[in-house]
Amino acid sequence: MRQQRADYTLEDLLALPDDAPRVELVDGVIQVTPSPTLGHQNIASLLWLWLHSRVPDRLRVAQAVGVGLSANTSRQPDVLLYRAEVPADRFRLRPSDVLLAVEIVSPGTRRVDRFAKPGEYAAAGIPFYWRVEQDPVHLYAYRIGDRVGPGGERQYELVADSAELIELTEPFDIKLPIAEITP
């Protein structure tokens, strides 16, 4: 299927039917997102469960909820942490609602998850980004740093990475054994 327009907006996504396929909006182009593999989903579910049982009261955790990054770009992180005061009836979040976006890398999403999405999330001001590689499971944790990109946008800096244990103090105290999110 060939798309005829490249000027879709977040408002156009709202007009899609409830049973529409999972899509992301990237620079005005609607992209159908393929279904994740079982391994991908297992990691996402285990990470959601791990975070859900440990987040402080000020935060909530969700899976595959849209985040409107700009008027013509919306992404659906595999897992995300958002502020508890966000109403439960929302189906799209603002970047200011989100503290952490997590992407689980699949063979077909390597370039987007490693390069495009972190740049978009950082430019939108999402403070933390985690990338999870699958084979073997390895977590890379980033936070917005002082480094500025060529367009003047802030960029992420790597703060921890491990295939065994991730220890962080932000966005809350975390001591995550990677075995607990490995299917």
Side-chain angles (χ1 to χ4, degrees), residues 117-164:
K117 287 183 180 182
E120 293 167 2
Y121 294 151
I126 295 173
F128 302 97
Y129 175 71
W130 290 0
R131 187 182 84 236
V132 181
E133 299 285 340
Q134 289 192 58
D135 192 20
V137 176
H138 192 114
L139 193 149
Y140 296 84
Y142 301 86
R143 72 171 170 81
I144 290 271
D146 295 328
R147 220 171 74 195
V148 177
E153 70 282 352
R154 291 172 60 193
Q155 295 180 328
Y156 288 119
E157 60 184 31
L158 183 67
V159 293
D161 79 275
S162 181
E164 295 175 12

Side-chain angles (χ1 to χ4, degrees), residues 13 20 35 39-40 47 49 53 89 117 124 132-134 159 161 171:
L13 290 185
S35 296
H40 178 285
L47 180 57
L49 187 61
S53 66
D89 62 352
K117 287 183 180 182
V132 181
E133 299 285 340
Q134 289 192 58
V159 293
D161 79 275

